[in-house]
Structure formats: C-alpha cells, structure tokens
C-alpha cells in the first residue's frame, strides 16, 4: 500500500513538473515567435510635440521636426499613400504628394466638403495631378469627415491630432502615432475603404 502511495505521489509530482516545463516552454516559444513577427520597427511609436517644431520619440532622445516627420512618411511610400484629413493646406506636404505620384505611387485624398477642398488654392494641384479625391458632402445633420490619419503602402498607419495646415505643422501641441503593427493598421484600412465607397469622388 505504501509503495502504491509513493508511486501515485511521484506520478502526480512528475505530472506537475512536466506541465510546468511545458507551460514554460510554450511561453518562451510564444515570446520568440512574437519577437520574430514583431521586431522593433513594427512597434508603435509615440511622438509628443511641445510646439510643433520639436517632437520627441518616447523610446529615444531623438528630436523630430513636425513637418519633416509628415513629409518623411509620404516620401517613404513605395506603392501607395492614402491621406484622410479634414484639412491639407500645407504647400510642402502637397508638393510631397505630387512627388510621390511622380514616383508612380498611388495617391488618394479623403476629406470633407466643408474644408473648402473644392475651392481652395490647393485643389488645383490635386486636380492637375488627377489625384482621386473622395469628399464627404454636406448633409442636413452637419456631420463632417474629421479624421486625421494616413496609410502608407497598406502596412503603416500615421495617426495624429492635427490637420496638415501651415499653422499646425509650424506650431501647436499635438501628438502622432506611427505603427506597422497589423492589429493597429487593419482597422484603419478597412475604414478608409468604407469611406472611399461612401464619399463622392471628384
């Protein structure tokens, strides 16, 4: 009887140890696979801007210029750049979009009628370059398309709190999130495609 009890105790102990080792192994394997799928450059980057001129990467001491950060994002596009903003009136950013098109990058603009996109001086650049412009037209409820995000190459999202105007890119308190994590990017892509199907194209 004592021998049987010892065997049972040993078996139970061995099972607990085996289970613990299995859990430990799986956790380490999951960490390795996660790190393999999500290297450092896939993680979200947060930039907090003190005055629009100086922006700090929260993961480092690097200092960024707000306008340069937006233009750099556009210039890095190889296949497509989708700009979903209420206002895009900074001439440098419009020029960067024109340059992207000249590199055979597919450029799309999603905006709102109340932004004056049909009449402002920057519209001529969009029309001249034949950018597809999707406009949320006015309605009785006065709802507007107030998003502020961009998607690059279908795999990177740039989400921020400011419109792309000269005033906000030169001086304001704002924040930016840049991410290549697909859980972050996918909802923005899906929503943008919904907007392009819903809004009027010019």
């Amino acid at each position: 009887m004592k021998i049987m009890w010892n065997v049972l105790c040993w078996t139970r102990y061995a099972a607990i140890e085996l289970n613990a080792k299995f859990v430990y192994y799986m956790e380490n394997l999951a960490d390795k696979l996660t790190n393999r799928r999500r290297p450092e450059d896939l993680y979200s980057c947060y930039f907090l801007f003190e005055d629009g001129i100086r922006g700090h990467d929260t993961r480092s001491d690097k200092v960024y210029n707000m306008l340069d950060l937006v233009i750099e994002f556009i210039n890095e596009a190889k296949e497509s750049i989708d700009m979903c903003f209420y206002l895009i009136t900074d001439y440098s950013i419009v020029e960067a979009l024109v340059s992207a098109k000249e590199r055979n990058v597919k450029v799309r603009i999603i905006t709102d009628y109340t932004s004056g996109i049909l009449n402002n001086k920057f519209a001529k650049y969009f029309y001249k370059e034949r950018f597809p412009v999707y406009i949320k037209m006015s309605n009785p409820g006065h709802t507007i398309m107030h998003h502020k995000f961009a998607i690059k190459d279908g795999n990177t999202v740039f989400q921020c709190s400011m419109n792309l105007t000269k005033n906000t890119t030169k001086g304001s308190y704002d924040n930016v999130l840049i991410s290549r994590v697909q859980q972050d990017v996918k909802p923005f892509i899906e929503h943008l495609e919904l907007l392009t199907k819903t809004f009027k194209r010019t």
Side-chain angles (χ1 to χ4, degrees):
M1 189 69 179
K2 184 176 181 180
I3 295 176
M4 181 64 70
W5 174 254
N6 288 337
V7 170
L8 289 173
C9 290
W10 181 87
T11 303
R12 183 172 180 274
Y13 174 80
I16 293 173
E17 281 289 298
L18 182 61
N19 182 65
K21 289 181 179 179
F22 178 77
V23 170
Y24 177 80
Y25 171 81
M26 293 304 293
E27 287 177 346
N28 276 273
L29 179 61
D31 286 342
K32 290 179 180 178
L33 291 175
T34 300
N35 289 334
R36 187 178 301 171
R37 290 196 304 267
R38 296 175 60 182
E40 185 68 16
D41 65 342
L42 292 187
Y43 282 105
S44 301
C45 304
Y46 295 87
F47 302 83
L48 301 176
F49 293 84
E50 296 174 354
D51 55 13
I53 305 300
R54 298 182 301 278
H56 298 274
D57 185 340
T58 58
R59 299 176 307 166
S60 71
D61 293 327
K62 293 175 67 176
V63 178
Y64 292 86
N65 174 280
M66 173 58 133
L67 181 59
D68 289 345
L69 184 62
V70 179
I71 293 176
E72 179 182 290
F73 186 82
I74 296 172
N75 290 344
E76 289 175 345
K78 294 180 174 58
E79 299 177 2
S80 64
I81 184 76
D82 295 306
M83 305 294 292
C84 188
F85 284 84
Y86 179 72
L87 283 173
I88 305 177
T89 59
D90 188 296
Y91 185 72
S92 298
I93 293 173
V94 175
E95 280 191 321
L97 292 171
V98 172
S99 296
K101 184 176 183 295
E102 292 174 348
R103 301 194 310 272
N104 295 317
V105 173
K106 180 182 176 182
V107 179
R108 294 190 296 179
I109 310 295
I110 298 90
T111 187
D112 190 88
Y113 175 80
T114 61
S115 70
I117 185 67
L118 296 179
N119 302 312
N120 70 41
K121 63 181 180 180
F122 296 94
K124 66 179 181 180
Y125 294 103
F126 298 142
Y127 296 141
K128 179 182 177 181
E129 298 299 326
R130 297 177 182 268
F131 290 161
V133 179
Y134 299 85
I135 301 176
K136 163 66 172 63
M137 304 304 290
S138 60
N139 64 353
H142 301 293
T143 57
I144 62 175
M145 200 299 298
H146 207 240
H147 285 309
K148 302 171 185 67
F149 70 89
I151 299 172
K152 175 182 69 180
D153 296 332
N155 60 25
T156 311
V157 64
F158 180 110
Q159 199 276 330
C160 60
S161 62
M162 74 286 180
N163 284 300
L164 303 184
T165 67
K166 186 175 182 179
N167 288 338
T168 55
T169 56
K170 296 296 184 183
S172 62
Y173 283 82
D174 279 295
N175 61 81
V176 175
L177 159 66
I178 300 176
S179 176
R180 290 182 59 206
V181 178
Q182 290 308 297
Q183 294 94 319
D184 297 338
V185 180
K186 185 178 178 182
F188 282 92
I189 293 176
E190 292 175 347
H191 186 64
L192 183 137
E193 294 305 324
L194 175 64
L195 297 182
T196 59
K197 294 176 181 177
T198 305
F199 295 171
K200 179 182 178 180
R201 176 174 173 174
T202 62

